[in-house]
Amino acid sequence: MSAAKIQLSEIRFKVNGVERSATVPPMKRLLDVLREDLALTGVKEGCGEGECGSCSVLLDGVLVNSCLVPALQASGCEVLTVEGLATNGALAHIQRTFLELGGTQCGICTPGMMLAAESLLRKNPHPDLDAIREGLAGNLCRCTGYMRIIDAVKHAIEEPILTADLAPEETVHK
Amino acid sequence: MRDATPTRIVGTPALRKEGFGKVTGGARYIDDIVLLGMWHGATVRSSIARGAIKDIRFGAGINWDEFVIVTAKDIPGANCIPLIVDNDQPVLADARVNHPEEPVVLLAHPDKARLHEAVEAVEIDYDPLPAVFTIEESERQQTIVWGEDNVIKRFLVEKGDVDSAWQHAAHIVSGEYRTGAQEQLYIENNGVIAEWSDADGLIIRGSMQCPYYVHKALLRVFDLPAEKVRVIQAETGGAFGGKEDYPSLIAAHAGLLALKAGRPVKIIYDREEDLAATTKRHPSRTRYRTAVDKDGHLLAMDIQVDLDGGAYATVSPTVLSRATIHSAGPYLCENIRVRSHAWATNVPPHGAFRGFGSPQTIFGIERHMDQIAKAVGISPEEVRRRNFLAQGNATATGQLIRDPIDLRGMMDRALKVSDYHAKRARFARENATSSAIKHGMGIASFMHGAGFTGSGERYLNSLVGLEADASGHLTVLVSSTEFGQGTNTMLSQVVAEALGLSCEDVSIAQPDTNRVPNSGPTVASRTTMIVGRLVHDAALALAGILREKNLLSEEFSADEFRAACAAYTAQFGALRSEARYQPPKDIFWDDAKYQGDAYPAFAWAVYVAEVAVDTRTYAAEVVNFYTVQEVGRVMNPVLAAGQIEGGVAQGVGYALYEKVVWKDGRMSNNQMTNYIIPTAADVPNIEVYFEEMPCEHGPYGAKGLGELPHDGPAPAILNAIQDAAGISFTSIPLLPEDIFLRMAEAPEPECLEIVGSAKGPQ
Ligand code: FES
Ligand code: FES
């Protein structure tokens, strides 16, 4: 290949609780480092320009669009991706409510959306409806119309849910 | 099978079958898949709307030896993606380009980062030809860009005698309505990986709705026998119609590169390319001229439907068909004429998007019904109530409504749950005296036909399979795809219900043309009603096979079923059943006259929008949205409500946010930054109510519901805006700048339509 030699840097950081490193061009997008170098493909790309939020991860606890973050900036940081939400194979509460309440349809926005929810709940453990809507407004979902995502976040605050409560408004049988 | 008997699993909120992978990040979408030695592909597209290609040059500064380059000359078979019209869209433009995003050259390279500059370095010289970009330019027929008259497809539907009805009219109301293009905006962009080997032929993995469409297209493009093309659907991150036909083209491109490169090639569009190049909803113009009596009963409807089809036919004939059939709405009228045209223009072909033509004409008829109400001096709910179709009535195509239908009951319920009357009275009072913010309520009532139009299902002749292993675990074999709607879950519920098992006892095979039969495309709200019914029949057939061998009695427990499967497989080997589509006996369709039973069943709905219009910022906001629908039996209340809510949100976007800005046939705002869809902060509170009237065609009485919720929101919202602001807006998308213009020009309430007493046709 004829490409001019690109300087590579070693990035060390903690990803989902584990020390990791990657030797990459320093300006490589964190999104690509996670997906390509660390095989964390739960992080999704929807736009590459900071609009859709499907690439959302927590960087030192702050919700960021990983498509806008150069690898260098993540050096020495803690990164949380969707793969780090479950512990020992047991779904986190937010994952359960998304699954049970219909918060995921095609699923492409779901990893980023759950991290937005996680970030919101860490900052504000009892958000009201407006706070939930605001907290999720940086993440686009084209499938759900958001109602069931909002529900999933609401229920993640409250007691664990029972599938019996999940039905929509009453149905008339004729 | 009109079946209202209690069920164990159908009707319950069974968990999304593939949901675990989706909430853990384990689900594998196409861009998550990496094959050994895989290269990346990119597309060089035309830079003009229409013209002859003179020369293709590969510019300086690039080491072209590193690249695999494909042009039309490299296509082994036909240079065409056939769908409905033969010799339609080329795989790669050869002598001519007909729109500004037409693929001309393909490139592949091991390093994705190198492709961008290489694409930029390909120079194509043209002799430009005149082009047309709108319905108006196309119908003027001064520049002919398609056939002899720019008409891709036309229909004429006639019922009764429209021409002699005008003289009996108390009022004649006319109106013209317009809808813009709309992008599906699935969050996962289009993408495909192709592999080629002489032994196996072509293997395609991709984000798609219809593996057998891709399969069919590739057979021709590569001139291969059926067994040498294999198409596998990867997890698909949303589609909404946008991955119905276009993936065939991308698969052909990736395949050509893989064939020439001798290694796997992945093509993933970025958002800008996906927005600019792939299909969108057809822009439309509908014209209504209606005669009504003094009480508001429809006497005659003369309807013109015009769609902008874009540069090739692709799915336009069927979109136009659905638009035509839905254009008279859920109303009884003895005299109807619909003349419809899909016009060719030099923009990228418009394609399938949830609703498939019906959101366009339902926007027209439902805005128009409010204008009729005004002309007659009755309320919007009353004009609809007086004209609703009822059991035993005939639709525009002469289809007799055999099933019971309850539009009046649904209207009552929609008005009740939305607290319509009280709110409307309160808003009228408040709007008069206040204030910056005006509130309003609007209604839309409508229907959506489930399944392919007319004889479509007969031609599809769908086949499904069901397999059981020795442990009694079942695998459903269908080409019907999951892309968020809940196909996998719904089909599991059907099988589990039919055989007395649980959903965990059922798997859905990954759609792979080497493994699953062709159960038809995943479009047209057909999967639950048509494919679900076939899967149900296959389940019963499987139990039948076991009974034939005396391994199972009429009534059986789950354990007895498992024991029977074990015994069968030990003695006879593979246990497998099939079911093929059988056209219902009493359904007839005349393609020539466009008369008859257009759909086996319709879903019906009444929606109410509550809006607030800020007269200082000119922003319209939907505050509450109430939906009442009858979709037959509800298979899974969580998934069904999720479909309705998602469709309503897209409808809100269609009405108030989503504007494709065109420049010389090309989308110029092809970024998520400036093509705006609703966020969690923008969507209204959406309430979902179902009425259940089991339908004989679907499994356990289900009908299709996927597209229905996109049909009603836009007209309901604009009707509500008229109620709030006193201005009749007739075109969408309606952005604050559009509201500003009208308010600045016409502060007084205005009615664009001609309203008056009739003296006969003019
Ligand atoms: S991919 Fe990062 S915000 Fe869309
Ligand atoms: S679930 Fe498909 S985009 Fe959100």
Side-chain angles (χ1 to χ4, degrees):
Chain A
M1 259 187 277
S2 66
K5 270 261 170 291
I6 299 169
Q7 283 287 311
L8 299 183
S9 311
E10 196 192 19
I11 310 288
R12 291 173 169 282
F13 49 178
K14 203 178 214 180
V15 182
N16 299 330
V18 181
E19 292 293 347
R20 305 287 302 258
S21 73
T23 305
V24 296
M27 295 309 285
K28 186 167 180 174
R29 305 183 301 175
L30 177 60
L31 167 66
D32 297 327
V33 177
L34 294 170
R35 288 179 54 83
E36 294 169 6
D37 299 276
L38 304 185
L40 294 170
T41 52
V43 191
K44 304 298 181 195
E45 173 166 6
C47 69
E49 56 173 7
E51 280 295 322
C52 72
S54 15
C55 63
S56 301
V57 299
L58 299 194
L59 188 64
D60 280 344
V62 178
L63 187 70
V64 296
N65 291 323
S66 65
C67 69
L68 298 182
V69 176
L72 192 64
Q73 195 183 319
S75 181
C77 295
E78 280 194 36
V79 178
L80 180 69
T81 73
V82 64
E83 287 90 347
L85 283 177
T87 32
N88 303 324
L91 294 186
H93 208 97
I94 190 77
Q95 289 173 302
R96 277 199 47 212
T97 59
F98 265 72
L99 177 60
E100 296 189 10
L101 290 169
T104 182
Q105 287 189 18
C106 84
I108 198 80
C109 72
T110 309
M113 197 64 86
M114 288 188 306
L115 284 159
E118 175 75 19
S119 157
L120 168 70
L121 294 175
R122 284 187 189 184
K123 279 187 288 194
N124 178 359
H126 294 285
D128 62 11
L129 183 59
D130 284 343
I132 296 175
R133 282 172 173 263
E134 257 336 294
L136 301 177
N139 290 66
L140 296 176
C141 173
R142 189 57 152 170
C143 295
T144 62
Y146 305 102
M147 292 295 117
R148 265 143 230 282
I149 292 178
I150 293 168
D151 252 28
V153 177
K154 263 195 236 160
H155 280 87
I157 310 164
E158 295 160 10
E159 288 302 291
I161 39 161
L162 296 167
T163 12
D165 304 337
L166 307 186
E169 290 77 9
E170 97 249 43
T171 291
V172 172
H173 299 265
K174 291 245 164 175
Chain B
M1 200 170 75
R2 181 160 296 151
D3 189 347
T5 47
T7 46
R8 290 176 309 116
I9 293 184
V10 158
T12 68
L15 278 194
R16 177 173 284 278
K17 198 75 191 162
E18 76 294 346
F20 188 84
K22 287 177 171 175
V23 298
T24 55
R28 308 271 283 164
Y29 299 81
I30 191 63
D31 201 19
D32 304 336
I33 298 170
V34 175
L35 300 184
L36 204 66
M38 185 178 80
W39 284 21
H40 298 274
T43 313
V44 182
R45 300 176 182 278
S46 57
S47 52
I48 64 164
R50 183 162 177 256
I53 298 176
K54 283 201 311 193
D55 192 22
I56 300 174
R57 283 175 289 113
F58 295 86
I62 304 281
N63 182 0
W64 291 106
D65 294 341
E66 291 178 358
F67 290 81
V68 164
I69 301 172
V70 163
T71 65
K73 291 183 214 37
D74 295 298
I75 298 169
N79 183 9
C80 164
I81 302 288
L83 193 62
I84 294 168
V85 175
D86 227 23
N87 286 322
D88 194 21
Q89 174 161 230
V91 176
L92 290 168
D94 192 358
R96 279 278 279 274
V97 296
N98 287 309
H99 68 80
E101 295 292 336
E102 187 137 14
V104 184
V105 178
L106 305 169
L107 303 174
H109 193 277
D111 182 0
K112 195 176 178 184
R114 304 289 307 286
L115 281 161
H116 182 71
E117 52 175 345
V119 167
E120 297 291 307
V122 178
E123 293 161 27
I124 306 170
D125 295 334
Y126 306 91
D127 277 331
L129 290 164
V132 298
F133 299 123
T134 60
I135 292 170
E136 282 71 20
E137 287 170 14
S138 185
E139 72 185 350
R140 225 172 280 143
Q141 298 175 341
Q142 280 164 357
T143 301
I144 298 298
V145 300
W146 178 275
E148 276 155 23
D149 53 6
N150 288 341
V151 177
I152 293 173
K153 184 74 186 175
R154 54 161 55 82
F155 292 109
L156 172 63
V157 173
E158 283 189 293
K159 178 188 182 193
D161 178 4
V162 169
D163 292 324
S164 36
W166 307 104
Q167 55 200 350
H168 310 297
H171 307 272
I172 292 178
V173 183
S174 301
E176 180 179 298
Y177 309 91
R178 284 168 186 273
T179 63
Q182 187 188 19
E183 164 60 33
Q184 296 88 359
L185 216 97
Y186 32 72
I187 303 297
E188 179 208 32
N189 287 313
N190 271 287
V192 163
I193 298 174
E195 275 182 278
W196 170 268
S197 77
D198 290 337
D200 299 327
L202 190 57
I203 304 175
I204 297 289
R205 291 177 177 78
S207 178
M208 64 181 74
Q209 288 177 237
C210 310
Y212 275 98
Y213 276 4
V214 178
H215 189 260
K216 177 183 166 200
L218 296 179
L219 297 186
R220 284 213 33 207
V221 173
F222 289 84
D223 195 18
L224 287 169
E227 66 278 10
K228 282 289 170 82
V229 175
R230 176 177 178 194
V231 181
I232 305 164
Q233 185 225 11
E235 196 74 69
T236 294
F240 316 113
K243 294 171 184 172
E244 175 171 342
D245 68 308
Y246 208 88
S248 300
L249 192 63
I250 311 174
H253 291 167
L256 289 167
L257 286 168
L259 176 62
K260 198 158 176 183
R263 45 177 75 247
V265 173
K266 180 193 254 188
I267 297 181
I268 304 282
Y269 285 2
D270 66 14
R271 182 59 64 184
E272 287 188 24
E273 182 172 26
D274 197 295
L275 281 169
T278 73
T279 61
K280 295 174 183 47
R281 185 186 297 291
H282 292 67
S284 79
R285 182 190 67 202
T286 50
R287 289 178 172 148
Y288 285 82
R289 186 161 183 263
T290 47
V292 292
D293 70 12
K294 64 174 184 6
D295 301 318
H297 296 110
L298 290 163
L299 302 177
M301 307 172 85
D302 197 354
I303 306 171
Q304 269 183 48
V305 177
D306 294 280
L307 299 182
D308 173 352
Y312 296 103
T314 67
V315 296
S316 287
T318 44
V319 170
L320 183 69
S321 151
R322 199 170 270 271
T324 304
I325 292 168
H326 285 75
S327 66
Y331 306 112
L332 175 65
C333 179
E334 295 305 339
N335 306 295
I336 300 177
R337 177 166 57 217
V338 191
R339 282 171 289 195
S340 62
H341 296 84
W343 297 97
T345 60
N346 298 108
V347 307
H350 293 298
F353 187 172
R354 195 179 209 165
F356 210 70
S358 48
Q360 288 93 318
T361 51
I362 289 186
F363 177 74
I365 179 68
E366 283 307 286
R367 282 296 292 124
H368 194 70
M369 289 306 281
D370 269 33
Q371 308 316 316
I372 294 176
K374 246 186 166 181
V376 177
I378 57 178
S379 67
E381 62 275 21
E382 191 52 32
V383 75
R384 288 176 171 82
R385 228 191 277 275
R386 287 182 190 175
N387 287 289
F388 275 146
L389 281 166
Q391 192 173 18
N393 290 159
T395 67
T397 63
Q399 173 165 6
L400 201 65
I401 303 288
R402 295 187 191 86
D403 293 337
I405 97 178
D406 187 30
L407 281 163
R408 289 186 178 85
M410 291 163 70
M411 174 64 86
D412 290 343
R413 192 161 174 219
L415 299 183
K416 182 159 169 261
V417 297
S418 62
D419 199 14
Y420 178 87
H421 291 296
K423 279 185 187 163
R424 210 161 171 234
R426 176 158 61 85
F427 294 159
R429 269 198 319 276
E430 291 170 359
N431 290 345
T433 56
S434 77
S435 73
I437 297 181
K438 312 263 187 198
H439 293 266
M441 303 290 281
I443 300 172
S445 45
F446 54 100
M447 77 297 202
H448 197 94
F452 260 56
T453 304
S455 8
E457 291 295 344
R458 269 171 224 256
Y459 294 128
L460 285 177
N461 198 19
S462 299
L463 182 66
V464 309
L466 186 64
E467 272 175 8
D469 66 14
S471 73
H473 189 86
L474 292 148
T475 303
V476 178
L477 302 168
V478 292
S479 64
S480 308
T481 49
E482 171 72 54
F483 38 89
Q485 342 82 300
T487 304
N488 292 346
T489 316
M490 177 277 295
L491 293 177
S492 305
Q493 287 180 270
V494 167
V495 173
E497 185 72 53
L499 295 176
L501 304 171
S502 72
C503 286
E504 290 71 52
D505 297 319
V506 186
S507 299
I508 311 291
Q510 181 175 30
D512 171 346
T513 56
N514 267 17
R515 172 136 165 78
V516 302
N518 189 352
S519 59
T522 306
V523 302
S525 306
R526 67 183 291 277
T527 305
T528 299
M529 189 175 81
I530 307 278
V531 182
R533 172 63 182 270
L534 291 179
V535 166
H536 176 264
D537 293 350
L540 298 188
L542 194 115
I545 294 171
L546 295 172
R547 278 194 204 104
E548 236 168 63
K549 302 290 181 194
N550 289 319
L551 296 169
L552 203 63
S553 47
E554 215 35 61
E555 301 278 311
F556 56 88
S557 69
D559 283 337
E560 285 162 355
F561 177 79
R562 291 187 188 106
C565 290
Y568 185 97
T569 48
Q571 270 182 275
F572 308 103
L575 174 53
R576 186 184 158 131
S577 64
E578 283 185 348
R580 188 178 284 283
Y581 179 73
Q582 304 292 341
K585 278 189 203 63
D586 51 353
I587 300 263
F588 297 101
W589 178 252
D590 182 338
D591 253 325
K593 294 208 188 88
Y594 239 62
Q595 285 291 311
D597 299 307
Y599 303 100
F602 289 95
W604 309 93
V606 179
Y607 285 5
V608 176
E610 178 185 336
V611 304
V613 181
D614 189 325
T615 58
R616 297 158 306 185
T617 62
Y618 305 101
E621 184 198 349
V622 187
V623 181
N624 284 300
F625 201 92
Y626 305 91
T627 73
V628 177
Q629 44 255 310
E630 191 271 287
V631 296
R633 186 72 172 276
V634 174
M635 304 295 282
N636 181 318
V638 168
L639 297 183
Q643 282 296 291
I644 303 302
E645 290 155 359
V648 167
Q650 290 178 352
V652 170
Y654 189 40
L656 297 179
Y657 293 85
E658 301 179 32
K659 183 174 206 152
V660 176
V661 181
W662 296 102
K663 187 158 188 306
D664 299 331
R666 176 179 265 134
M667 180 183 190
S668 62
N669 56 331
N670 55 329
Q671 286 177 297
M672 278 186 173
T673 330
N674 42 24
Y675 182 86
I676 306 297
I677 64 167
T679 69
D682 301 321
V683 288
N685 168 51
I686 304 167
E687 294 187 13
V688 178
Y689 302 87
F690 289 110
E691 216 177 76
E692 293 199 301
M693 310 226 289
C695 156
E696 64 176 320
H697 298 290
Y700 302 98
K703 299 193 266 202
L705 67 82
E707 296 176 282
L708 177 81
H710 204 308
D711 292 346
I717 291 166
L718 267 74
N719 288 341
I721 291 175
Q722 179 166 9
D723 183 45
I727 301 179
S728 164
F729 291 98
T730 53
S731 98
I732 52 169
L734 183 68
L735 272 55
E737 54 263 39
D738 308 307
I739 298 179
F740 166 75
L741 281 177
R742 277 290 297 284
M743 283 190 168
E745 272 167 18
E748 291 304 306
E750 178 198 339
C751 189
L752 279 184
E753 292 72 19
I754 310 155
V755 179
S757 299
K759 297 276 179 309
Q762 309 95 11

